[in-house]
Amino acid sequence: MASVFFTLLLLYATGVSGVPQLEPLNVTVLRGSEARFNISLSEAWYSMSWMLKTVLVLTINSGTGVSEHNPRFSVKNYSSADIYCWEFIIRDVWRNDSGDVSCGVQEKPTQTAQLFVQESGTVRIVGGNMTVAQGHQAIVQCEASGWFPKPTVNWVVDGVVVDQNSYNSSSEAMDSLYNSISLLTVRGVNSVQVKCLASVSALTTPLSSSIYLVVEPQDWTVLIAVVCSIGGFALLVLLILGIVFCCKRRKEAKSSYQKEMGRTRSQIEMSGGAVGQRQGKENPAYVIDGQTSVTHSEFNDSGYIQTNYTKHFEIPDLVNGNQTANGHASAYNILGVTGVRKHRHVTIV
């Protein structure tokens, strides 16, 4: 009805007469709804016809009235004393109705408009409500199925429209209809409502689906347990390595000590043999303190064994005025049995 009055006002404003005016020139509607077109003229007429694409669907005669060929098509008369105006209505439009809508008035030029029929499908967020740990990301998937033409998908998070560069959408055609998938990544900061909207131009209000993204505070217990486990394992490994290292060092030190002791023992044995080889002859003149005679089995002064006699000798007092107590050497004479004077040096310590 509003379009009819708009057409009448347009005719009065332009002052055009004799030429039919068809409004609107483009109509977009959803499948199953109605499409309306208005024709207006200022001159008297007697015949009017309406065509959808190339098919005559309705005729009007000023004398006999309306001749309907299909109940889906009808007209309403909004004429006044000065203006003739008719509204053409198409009910329950189909996708196949898309195309030219034409109106012819007698010998006047035919007026043509365009009809576009769209289809709205369904929209849903897969999985329903979601829970995510604070600081982590959640991927929300929206599916729009059974649309024509390809739907426009938008996201709204916590009441704010998301920029189109922040999500990815793709569509594919199936049986002359489009299915679309859109993925949105949301970072868990606070619990929010996430809404997915799908629409085509014929929809006055987009279809939507919404979920709640619940953000849980970060649980540090698991992280602390993992860190402690890793730290304990590392300390155990270090302890084992330390024990192995210490045992190895101790074993090496023991082995080195044994080698050194063996080398020292060998040197001592070699030194002992050499000392034994370097030992001198027995001193036949050595007399044990207090001994005043030499038996037949002892050596004489010439180095020969005496067997038939005992040799007696006396050692004079070595402590005299000419000797000093500071350990200087002195000499004295001993007269043996044979009458040979022996000269012997004694060192007093």
Side-chain angles (χ1 to χ4, degrees):
M1 186 64 182
S3 60
V4 174
F5 289 125
F6 176 78
T7 303
L8 293 175
L9 290 174
L10 181 62
L11 289 173
Y12 281 117
T14 57
V16 177
S17 62
V19 178
Q21 299 290 327
L22 181 60
E23 295 290 341
L25 295 179
N26 295 288
V27 174
T28 302
V29 294
L30 292 174
R31 182 177 65 86
S33 61
E34 295 182 347
R36 296 172 180 266
F37 299 88
N38 300 301
I39 188 71
S40 302
L41 63 160
S42 58
E43 294 181 350
W45 58 277
Y46 61 88
S47 177
M48 180 184 297
S49 61
W50 289 88
M51 298 179 67
L52 179 59
K53 296 193 282 189
T54 59
V55 178
L56 179 64
V57 294
L58 188 143
T59 58
I60 304 172
N61 186 280
S62 59
T64 60
V66 179
S67 299
E68 296 180 353
H69 301 276
N70 190 312
R72 292 180 56 228
F73 306 97
S74 62
V75 291
K76 287 184 178 181
N77 186 6
Y78 293 101
S79 300
S80 63
D82 299 325
I83 299 297
Y84 300 96
C85 184
W86 293 80
E87 184 179 41
F88 176 61
I89 303 169
I90 306 175
R91 297 181 178 87
D92 192 19
V93 294
W94 305 336
R95 284 274 304 280
N96 291 335
D97 292 337
S98 297
D100 294 340
V101 176
S102 304
C103 179
V105 179
Q106 317 179 147
E107 293 83 11
K108 303 293 183 180
T110 301
Q111 303 297 308
T112 304
Q114 295 293 320
L115 174 62
F116 300 95
V117 180
Q118 298 180 346
E119 291 194 43
S120 65
T122 60
V123 60
R124 73 183 185 96
I125 294 178
V126 179
N129 294 336
M130 303 178 66
T131 301
V132 64
Q134 190 173 25
H136 290 206
Q137 292 183 339
I139 298 178
V140 188
Q141 177 176 328
C142 179
E143 293 182 353
S145 305
W147 294 76
F148 182 86
K150 182 173 64 176
T152 300
V153 179
N154 294 303
W155 291 91
V156 176
V157 177
D158 199 22
V160 179
V161 179
V162 180
D163 186 85
Q164 293 183 355
N165 295 325
S166 300
Y167 55 88
N168 298 319
S169 298
S170 60
S171 301
E172 63 176 358
M174 183 178 295
D175 297 332
S176 72
L177 297 175
Y178 286 92
N179 299 324
S180 297
I181 296 178
S182 183
L183 298 176
L184 173 67
T185 301
V186 182
R187 186 175 182 82
V189 179
N190 298 312
S191 298
V192 294
Q193 183 186 46
V194 180
K195 183 181 293 186
C196 176
L197 302 95
S199 65
V200 290
S201 59
L203 273 176
T204 56
T205 302
L207 300 184
S208 65
S209 175
S210 61
I211 65 166
Y212 285 94
L213 180 65
V214 180
V215 177
E216 293 183 343
Q218 182 69 40
D219 187 4
W220 296 100
T221 304
V222 177
L223 181 60
I224 293 174
V226 172
V227 172
C228 292
S229 299
I230 296 176
F233 178 76
L235 290 176
L236 179 61
V237 171
L238 291 176
L239 180 61
I240 293 174
L241 292 177
I243 293 174
V244 171
F245 179 75
C246 292
C247 292
K248 185 177 180 181
R249 288 292 300 273
R250 185 175 181 181
K251 184 176 181 180
E252 291 178 352
K254 184 176 181 180
S255 176
S256 177
Y257 173 76
Q258 290 177 350
K259 290 181 179 179
E260 185 65 24
M261 289 297 295
R263 185 164 50 251
T264 304
R265 187 180 299 109
S266 298
Q267 291 177 354
I268 293 175
E269 292 176 354
M270 292 176 63
S271 299
V275 171
Q277 293 176 359
R278 290 194 301 269
Q279 288 181 349
K281 297 180 179 180
E282 183 178 355
N283 186 3
Y286 173 76
V287 179
I288 300 175
D289 292 342
Q291 182 177 350
T292 59
S293 64
V294 179
T295 62
H296 67 277
S297 62
E298 292 177 318
F299 289 96
N300 61 15
D301 294 335
S302 300
Y304 295 98
I305 299 177
Q306 302 294 326
T307 57
N308 298 322
Y309 63 92
T310 298
K311 182 175 57 177
H312 297 275
F313 57 90
E314 293 181 358
I315 298 176
D317 188 7
L318 299 179
V319 182
N320 52 50
N322 295 328
Q323 295 174 337
T324 60
N326 57 1
H328 290 88
S330 62
Y332 56 91
N333 295 325
I334 299 175
L335 182 64
V337 178
T338 59
V340 179
R341 185 176 296 276
K342 300 182 183 297
H343 183 78
R344 180 172 294 178
H345 293 271
V346 177
T347 300
I348 302 302
V349 178

